[in-house]
Amino acid sequence: MRRRQCLLWVPALWLAGHAHAEVRDLPDSINKAGRLRMLSQRCAKAYMALGQKVRSEQAEKVLSDSMALFDRHLVELRAFAHSPAVAKVYEQMDGSWSAYKLLLIGDRPSPKGAEAVLAAATQVLAQAQQGAGLLEQASGKTVGRLVNLAGRQRMLSQRMASTYLGAAWGVQSEGLVKQLGQAREEFVLAQASLKAAPETGQALRGELELVDQQYVFFDAALRALKPGNTDTRSLSEVFTTSERILQLMDEVTQQYARQG
């Protein structure tokens, strides 16, 4: 059995610095709703890493941090309840997330368990996407769209890593390889859209260029995927680079949210 005491750990420092006690406004709600998307995939990534003994200590901390932050943001977003439609999404997500957590902290990670984890992650992701979309619509501003778009890049960084690690483990390899290719395309297109937006000033564009530099290495590793490959070094590179891209894109998303 896995060590359940990990659930008591506090969120990672860079995430904790952005975690407020409540939702401040609509841009902040879009940002936090988008974080739930990302966290659904980050948990899956950590599970895959733990199962393959890839950066095990870091992966366990990533998992516990991500679960703690998901719990916090879900409570905040349910309290914000901007509309009945939004409230319904997060009420439904509460049940899905509870079921997902049981899979994450249950038996020792295995390829069979990974299939259930990925299915649960996909369900929670869909609900999180719905919530973020409703909040973006409520915003009615271009900056709301940019917060959502930038925030989605965080999710894609984790989705690419989780699908890579899953495919390398031999979990639903064909489907995961297809998902990985789609996520890579979506990430590149969104980066171009963000850089072209009038609201993206020089400082933000510089941040996005740093992301692009990290993505060059990330994409090279992703392209080298071989289903069933157990090369710990390659898996470790994907894990750590996805964390760096996530950190950079989280800051970018915060900067867009402050424009609102």
Side-chain angles (χ1 to χ4, degrees), residues 25-247:
D25 48 30
L26 269 173
D28 189 41
S29 75
I30 298 168
N31 176 34
K32 290 182 175 179
R35 278 225 191 95
L36 295 187
R37 277 183 309 216
M38 175 274 291
L39 292 167
S40 73
Q41 305 303 297
R42 194 173 186 234
C43 286
K45 176 186 77 173
Y47 180 96
M48 304 299 158
L50 284 168
Q52 297 171 84
K53 296 180 173 56
V54 175
R55 304 191 71 87
S56 297
E57 184 175 350
Q58 182 183 4
E60 185 148 7
K61 189 172 190 304
V62 162
L63 180 57
S64 59
D65 290 348
S66 298
M67 293 175 69
L69 190 58
F70 196 110
D71 282 335
R72 180 185 302 186
H73 280 351
L74 182 53
V75 169
E76 293 169 356
L77 287 163
R78 290 193 69 177
F80 184 68
H82 185 268
S83 70
V86 171
K88 183 178 180 180
V89 168
Y90 292 115
E91 180 180 354
Q92 293 173 339
M93 186 188 294
D94 194 32
S96 301
W97 170 238
S98 294
Y100 185 19
K101 284 195 291 185
L102 290 176
L103 296 172
L104 292 168
I105 63 175
D107 296 335
R108 185 181 301 277
S110 65
K112 183 178 179 180
E115 293 184 10
V117 162
L118 288 170
T122 298
Q123 181 180 12
V124 173
L125 171 59
Q127 292 170 331
Q129 174 63 35
Q130 183 181 3
L134 288 170
L135 290 166
E136 178 192 329
Q137 292 174 18
S139 167
K141 297 180 179 180
T142 301
V143 69
R145 182 185 69 82
L146 293 173
V147 172
N148 198 12
L149 184 62
R152 192 169 183 272
Q153 294 291 76
R154 298 176 299 197
M155 179 277 290
L156 288 172
S157 73
Q158 303 308 291
R159 187 165 178 80
M160 286 185 278
S162 66
T163 53
Y164 177 98
L165 290 169
W169 205 9
V171 180
Q172 300 177 343
S173 296
E174 184 176 349
L176 290 183
V177 170
K178 182 178 180 180
Q179 290 177 31
L180 175 58
Q182 182 178 354
R184 287 172 50 229
E185 292 177 5
E186 291 175 0
F187 187 90
V188 171
L189 289 173
Q191 283 295 101
S193 295
L194 290 170
K195 285 185 285 188
E199 292 80 5
T200 304
Q202 184 175 357
L204 263 173
R205 193 164 285 108
E207 292 287 336
L208 289 168
E209 288 173 356
L210 288 176
V211 174
D212 288 344
Q213 292 171 18
Q214 288 294 321
Y215 186 73
V216 170
F217 299 104
F218 190 44
D219 190 53
L222 295 175
R223 287 175 180 272
L225 170 65
K226 294 180 180 179
N229 173 36
T230 56
D231 176 19
T232 304
R233 180 178 177 181
S234 298
L235 302 179
S236 179
E237 287 177 354
V238 167
F239 187 97
T240 56
T241 307
S242 71
E243 286 292 297
R244 288 193 290 270
I245 292 174
L246 168 58
Q247 183 173 359

